[in-house]
Amino acid sequence: MLFSLLYTVSFAVILCGAFALMRQGFGAQNSPPAARASRHPEAPKHGESVMYVDLSRERLEQLYQQPS
């Protein structure tokens, strides 16, 4: 009896959580694009310099040929 009650309550909690996540996803889909696109807090500001790594084939071949 106790096992059945615990199983039913656990199933109901998981089911409600799944429907809450689905509803949240549908709500975000119907919102305007400006509200959806939030900027990452660590994203570079406009005009700020960013590090760039050149991984072209020629550059990699030069790096492999250099002595360590």
Side-chain angles (χ1 to χ4, degrees):
M1 173 70 182
L2 181 63
F3 178 74
S4 299
L5 181 65
L6 185 64
Y7 181 81
T8 305
V9 169
S10 300
F11 181 76
V13 167
I14 291 172
L15 187 66
C16 289
F19 276 112
L21 287 174
M22 286 192 326
R23 181 179 171 142
Q24 183 181 9
F26 291 144
Q29 199 174 33
N30 294 333
S31 65
R36 271 186 282 161
S38 61
R39 188 170 176 85
H40 192 276
E42 295 180 6
K45 309 287 187 279
H46 183 69
E48 185 178 354
S49 63
V50 292
M51 185 170 68
Y52 172 73
V53 179
D54 182 17
L55 295 176
S56 64
R57 182 181 179 118
E58 294 81 18
R59 179 74 178 136
L60 286 175
E61 287 175 353
Q62 289 174 0
L63 287 173
Y64 285 132
Q65 292 173 359
Q66 290 178 354
S68 6

